[in-house]
Amino acid sequence: MLHSKARWTAAASDSPAAEQLAAQLNIHPAVARLLVARGMTTVEEADRFLNGGKDHVHDPFLLDGMDAAVARIRQALQNGEKIRVYGDYDADGVSSTALMTQLLRMLGANFDTYIPHRMLEGYGLNNAALDAAREAGVSLLITVDTGISATEQVAYATQLGLEVIVTDHHEPPEQLPDAYAIINPKKPGCPYPNKQLAGVGVAWKLAHALLGDIPEELAEYAALGTVADLMPLLGENRCIVKLGLSRLAATRHPGFQALFGVCSLAGKEITATHLGFSLAPRINASGRLQHAGDALRLLTTDDLDEAERLAEQLDRLNKERQRIVDEMTDEALRLLEAEGESALRPVIVVAREGWNTGVIGIVAARLLERFYRPVIVLSIDAEKGIAKGSARSIAGYDIHRALSKCDDLLDHYGGHQAAGGMTLAREAIGAFGDRLNELAEDWLNEDDFVPVLQVDAEFALDEVSVDSIRQIEALAPFGMGNPSPRVQLSGLAVQDMRLLGKEKQHLKLQLVQSLRESAVTVEAVGFGWGPLTELLSPTAKVDLIGELSINEWNGVRKPQLLLQDMRVGELQVFDWRGQKRLAQKLGELDGSRSAAGKISRIAPSRRALVIESSYHWRRERKLVEAVGWPIYGWDAERGAVPLDAAAEEVPLADVTDLVLYSLPNAEASLHRLLKAAASVERIYPVFADWNTDDWKLPARETFKKVYALLIHTGRWSMEDDRSIGQFASQTGLSPETIRFILVVFEELSFVERSESWMQTVPQPARAELESAPSYRERQVRLAMESALIYSTAQELTDWITKKRLDFIPLEVPV
């Protein structure tokens, strides 16, 4: 077995609806199933999603406050008043400010822009900035992506004689600012249909109202901010991003061209993924580490040379940001490790002096990904005695609600269900963490700490083709609310498995429906999944979840699955027959388990090694004890019995990993072992004793030869091994073979014991060798060798799996 990292849940299925969509829209049945899984069950809904455009764009004047805002801005334009656009330092805020810059340029306005410094001023409006605006002759302040909670600051602006238009998309507080106009689709009573506009989306709607037509020429900015701020790409947002991407495909804007250059995207088809994971991080890096002014200048300059210089600067900042994040994440992990298990409470709270507040949110996201539980990362200002924090949360734990329950401990806080920010006194951190964890005990259960992976549809392998994937791409742009479809493929055999990358850190699988017949194949690639190779048997049947893509190489286009999760639902058998470096191999396995824990749910293993408990145990004891695993001996009645103290502490029923060092002494032993080891997930057959003379079945002539020698000897001592040694020397057989023959003769009453002596029996009754239990046991062992030794890895897996399910003894002819 191999456990998946997440709990898989399948989207609701409606086969008749999918069949209707496939037939009437002439699309692949698999694509139709994906549309139905996303709630589009009628032809009209699906057609609008696939082919809709500007008809998704709503009347901007449906936004409450838009009439007043437009009238006031036009008055300012007419009177030549000084306008200041007040933005935010993240990618949404910067793109909002850039959009307003281009809009006001188009309108011939007298204006400038202002973005606060993250470290020195913090988020949102502040009185010092308002004082500076008044001194600069500003009479109208337009906020973008901020302002909805700035009740006190807007009141102060009014006292200064500034009129403020707030455009924002964050959750409104109970008391709204007394601004000249507030445009926010989430404002109570606002009838605007799209409540999920980004800050830049609200600014784009203001441009729509002022220009009197859909502002396609500003769609690049709107697309960038919408994707960067993780807004759902549905309805109007989907239209905004599609418009922006279509314009970016042939953009002549110096800023975007320069960004494409440093992101190695020049000449490529730009997707929403590129906006979110290539452009946005570089825009954000400016505000996180320095001041967002450079990012704003990049997005608004008409000078290509300046744009290229600024883009290179942001690229360097982004690399520096990545380095800082890596260092802080490592520091956070060391702090948690030092605190031991007590640190991994339902809600993780980790704090340290001097951490960069610009990236604590990224560190929190990293820790959430690793531990899958709500995380608060706090940077402590030692001089001021305060801590600024960022939170990331999981489904079931609304972090904004949790913060509201800690209102008495916090100076400031804000956010939404999945993320938030807060400021508090240093001495309140302990109580803050305790309160959050008390809430978690009430709100969360054990299942909540296992991530959920939503599967859009299960595909048959023959449905995975270049054509079906090309049709799936029509569902783009992908992002929040419209993620790239996740598909499940089940019961596939591993035809080939290899490692990729300079450090062999990536995994590539060639998968087929069955190894026994020619079938459709598909490649699956798991980036960073290299450690799983030691935990994935080549004979395993795997279930996978991933995103489908087209891999093009040297002009050949092939379907490919980008792995997101994988599981093996049955016992895995790893063919270690002939393995000479057992201790080293098991050490590598332990290392792989630890590394693979980031990819799959790897529980602490309960391991055991099984060996032949008489001769082989004596001969190999030092070697197997050096392995460090609990050691069991084969037993026909119980399957296996403990041979050392470690095995006494590990019940067979709890064992997950079994190394079969020796061949079973009987089929019954293997069957009973597999039944007793009810939790076993992986079996590693080594069978180190199979090719030794001591376990071969002597020929009948050999028995006759030894019997003649015994009759000639008549009587011999069994107090030591000297007699055995003499017989071995005289016959050329090994001492173990002599011992075996003597046991068979004793069972047949050809020889008998008398105290410390053994002698031949005069005129024994005739008996066949096969009637001796030891001889027959050795015959069974030889029959097992055919199944366990002279077999392919797949045949070995099938045989062991069958023995676990039902025990049918091998027939050995007498």
Side-chain angles (χ1 to χ4, degrees):
M1 297 181 71
L2 180 67
H3 296 284
S4 58
K5 186 175 183 178
R7 289 178 287 142
W8 298 2
T9 61
S13 177
D14 186 340
S15 297
E19 292 171 2
Q20 184 181 28
L21 294 186
Q24 296 195 26
L25 295 176
N26 193 28
I27 57 177
H28 195 284
V31 178
R33 294 204 303 275
L34 291 175
L35 288 168
V36 170
R38 298 191 175 202
M40 284 159 278
T41 57
T42 69
V43 173
E44 293 74 17
E45 290 172 327
D47 183 54
R48 192 174 183 204
F49 180 84
L50 292 173
N51 304 310
K54 297 177 185 178
D55 53 331
H56 281 295
V57 178
H58 306 296
D59 181 351
F61 289 99
L62 289 175
L63 280 160
D64 186 55
M66 185 64 78
D67 288 292
V70 168
R72 181 64 185 90
I73 293 171
R74 285 178 175 161
Q75 178 186 343
L77 293 173
Q78 183 177 354
N79 297 335
E81 295 179 53
K82 179 75 174 288
I83 301 171
R84 176 162 291 180
V85 178
Y86 195 110
D88 186 27
Y89 37 67
D90 68 359
D92 186 14
V94 171
S95 58
S96 301
T97 309
L99 185 150
M100 289 299 295
T101 297
Q102 299 292 44
L103 171 65
L104 293 174
R105 282 178 181 174
M106 293 164 59
L107 296 173
N110 173 22
F111 77 99
D112 63 12
T113 59
Y114 187 89
I115 296 177
H117 193 290
R118 180 191 291 260
M119 310 295 181
L120 303 178
E121 298 174 83
Y123 173 76
L125 295 173
N126 66 80
N127 289 353
L130 295 173
D131 288 334
R134 186 57 185 159
E135 290 174 8
V138 173
S139 59
L140 178 61
L141 192 77
I142 304 174
T143 74
V144 286
D145 193 34
T146 188
I148 194 65
S149 298
T151 304
E152 295 179 4
Q153 291 78 16
V154 170
Y156 182 71
T158 302
Q159 292 177 17
L160 295 176
L162 292 172
E163 291 186 318
V164 181
I165 295 174
V166 172
T167 74
D168 201 353
H169 72 124
H170 294 99
E171 293 291 338
E174 289 186 11
Q175 181 181 353
L176 296 176
D178 187 16
Y180 186 90
I182 298 177
I183 305 173
N184 184 333
K186 296 177 182 175
K187 187 172 67 171
C190 179
Y192 196 73
N194 182 11
K195 303 297 183 182
Q196 298 298 321
L197 284 170
V200 74
V202 179
W204 193 70
K205 298 308 297 183
L206 178 58
H208 186 180
L210 284 166
L211 296 174
D213 199 1
I214 294 175
E216 294 187 41
E217 61 271 39
L218 301 176
E220 294 104 319
Y221 303 104
L224 173 60
T226 298
V227 173
D229 219 45
L230 305 179
M231 292 297 106
L233 302 188
L234 300 170
E236 187 173 35
N237 287 350
R238 177 175 169 82
C239 175
I240 290 171
V241 175
K242 287 180 74 172
L243 280 173
L245 291 174
S246 67
R247 289 187 61 84
L248 285 169
T251 186
R252 300 177 64 86
H253 192 290
F256 285 109
Q257 288 180 337
L259 276 174
F260 295 159
V262 297
C263 296
S264 301
L265 295 175
K268 294 184 179 179
E269 181 182 357
I270 306 301
T271 67
T273 300
H274 294 137
L275 297 183
F277 292 95
S278 296
L279 273 66
R282 288 167 172 82
I283 298 298
N284 275 323
S286 178
R288 290 185 188 281
L289 300 186
Q290 293 183 358
H291 189 275
D294 286 340
L296 178 60
R297 281 192 292 275
L298 171 65
L299 293 181
T300 56
T301 184
D302 292 326
D303 186 327
L304 183 58
D305 290 337
E306 181 186 26
E308 290 176 346
R309 176 182 60 80
L310 290 168
E312 289 171 2
Q313 181 176 325
L314 294 190
D315 188 53
R316 288 192 297 271
L317 279 176
N318 190 52
K319 290 174 181 174
E320 174 67 7
R321 187 270 306 168
Q322 292 171 330
R323 183 191 65 77
I324 293 172
V325 168
D326 289 342
E327 288 182 357
M328 286 174 55
T329 302
D330 289 342
E331 289 175 0
L333 290 172
R334 286 195 295 270
L335 287 173
L336 293 173
E337 184 178 356
E339 293 181 38
E341 293 185 4
S342 62
L344 290 182
R345 301 167 74 186
V347 179
I348 295 174
V349 179
V350 60
R352 184 161 185 164
E353 290 183 3
W355 271 344
N356 188 310
T357 56
V359 298
I360 52 177
I362 303 175
V363 176
R366 290 265 192 98
L367 296 178
L368 182 146
E369 182 180 3
R370 183 181 182 95
F371 298 109
Y372 198 72
R373 57 193 63 208
V375 177
I376 314 288
V377 177
L378 295 157
S379 175
I380 301 171
D381 186 323
E383 293 184 4
K384 297 180 180 179
I386 62 171
K388 290 185 178 181
S390 188
R392 296 293 184 272
S393 194
I394 63 176
Y397 193 86
D398 186 329
I399 194 65
H400 185 267
R401 180 184 172 207
L403 293 176
S404 69
K405 299 288 186 179
C406 302
D407 181 80
D408 58 310
L409 299 172
L410 303 175
D411 297 335
H412 304 284
Y413 69 91
H416 48 82
Q417 185 277 327
M422 74 293 302
T423 304
L424 67 160
R426 179 176 191 163
E427 58 269 19
I429 293 175
F432 179 50
D434 291 341
R435 182 86 57 83
L436 292 174
N437 276 283
E438 289 169 5
L439 295 170
E441 291 176 4
D442 291 338
W443 297 352
L444 300 175
N445 58 48
E446 186 175 343
D447 284 344
D448 290 320
F449 295 102
V450 179
V452 175
L453 202 58
Q454 179 72 43
V455 181
D456 289 275
E458 183 162 359
F459 277 30
L461 198 63
D462 58 7
E463 291 182 306
V464 179
S465 65
V466 170
D467 179 61
S468 64
I469 296 172
R470 181 184 57 78
Q471 290 192 40
I472 289 172
E473 290 173 349
L475 276 62
F478 299 124
M480 290 297 293
N482 184 44
S484 181
R486 295 192 189 105
V487 302
Q488 179 178 337
L489 302 172
S490 300
L492 302 186
V494 180
Q495 188 179 66
D496 186 45
M497 178 166 48
R498 63 184 64 184
L499 294 173
L500 305 175
K502 290 183 179 180
E503 299 178 3
K504 304 299 182 183
Q505 70 273 39
H506 309 308
L507 175 65
K508 181 179 180 181
L509 301 175
Q510 191 77 23
L511 301 163
V512 295
Q513 202 69 51
S514 171
L515 289 173
R516 293 183 175 85
E517 57 189 43
S518 60
V520 178
T521 65
V522 67
E523 287 182 356
V525 176
F527 293 103
W529 286 45
L532 271 188
T533 54
E534 295 295 334
L535 298 175
L536 182 63
S537 168
T539 61
K541 294 291 181 65
V542 298
D543 302 334
L544 311 103
I545 291 179
E547 297 178 7
L548 292 170
S549 65
I550 297 173
N551 181 33
E552 187 165 353
W553 181 255
N554 288 336
V556 178
R557 307 179 81 217
K558 296 189 298 184
Q560 187 178 74
L561 184 74
L562 301 179
L563 288 173
Q564 293 186 343
D565 208 355
M566 176 165 55
R567 69 187 179 198
V568 178
E570 58 190 9
L571 174 71
Q572 289 197 87
V573 178
F574 295 78
D575 188 359
W576 281 12
R577 292 173 296 184
Q579 179 58 243
K580 303 298 184 185
R581 302 175 293 110
L582 182 63
Q584 179 181 338
K585 190 72 173 174
L586 291 175
E588 293 172 356
L589 180 63
D590 285 342
S592 294
R593 284 184 61 88
S594 177
K598 299 177 183 179
I599 308 162
S600 179
R601 274 189 286 163
I602 304 294
S605 65
R606 305 278 288 180
R607 302 97 54 91
L609 183 148
V610 188
I611 193 169
E612 190 278 319
S613 56
S614 55
Y615 167 72
H616 209 203
W617 169 232
R618 294 198 309 272
R619 194 181 75 171
E620 303 288 354
R621 183 163 187 160
K622 288 185 178 179
L623 173 64
V624 297
E625 284 183 335
V627 168
W629 287 29
I631 303 169
Y632 280 83
W634 286 110
D635 183 81
E637 295 299 321
R638 289 183 284 170
V641 293
L643 295 182
D644 65 356
E648 294 282 0
E649 299 177 1
V650 181
L652 268 176
D654 295 341
V655 169
T656 58
D657 296 75
L658 269 175
V659 171
L660 307 184
Y661 190 77
S662 304
L663 277 166
N665 54 11
E667 276 191 272
S669 299
L670 177 60
H671 174 70
R672 292 189 174 107
L673 172 73
L674 294 175
K675 289 292 186 183
S679 302
V680 69
E681 298 179 356
R682 290 164 290 275
I683 291 182
Y684 304 85
V686 178
F687 302 147
D689 58 339
W690 77 271
N691 196 25
T692 58
D693 291 337
D694 302 324
W695 290 95
K696 291 180 179 177
L697 187 64
R700 291 179 180 272
E701 292 303 317
T702 301
F703 279 94
K704 291 178 181 179
K705 180 179 178 180
V706 173
Y707 188 62
L709 177 61
L710 297 179
I711 291 176
H712 177 75
T713 304
R715 187 169 182 262
W716 59 94
S717 173
M718 296 300 292
E719 287 186 342
D720 55 42
D721 285 341
R722 280 182 296 177
S723 296
I724 298 295
Q726 289 174 0
F727 292 152
S729 177
Q730 290 174 287
T731 60
L733 301 173
S734 70
E736 286 300 323
T737 301
I738 294 295
R739 288 191 183 91
F740 171 70
I741 290 174
L742 288 176
V743 169
V744 171
F745 285 162
E746 187 175 7
E747 291 173 348
L748 297 176
S749 298
F750 291 178
V751 299
E752 61 184 3
R753 291 178 185 271
S754 175
E755 296 180 352
S756 61
W757 293 86
M758 183 172 274
Q759 61 188 18
T760 55
V761 175
Q763 298 181 340
R766 182 178 178 83
E768 295 294 331
L769 289 173
E770 289 81 358
S771 63
S774 296
Y775 187 91
R776 185 158 179 83
E777 181 180 309
R778 188 66 63 91
Q779 281 186 310
V780 171
R781 179 187 167 94
L782 288 176
M784 281 196 302
E785 284 189 5
S786 176
L788 299 180
I789 301 301
Y790 306 108
S791 57
T792 66
Q794 186 63 58
E795 290 168 342
L796 176 66
T797 298
D798 293 344
W799 197 86
I800 290 177
T801 302
K802 183 173 179 60
K803 285 295 173 289
R804 189 184 192 192
L805 298 176
D806 56 291
F807 176 52
I808 304 174
L810 287 170
E811 290 296 328
V812 180
V814 178

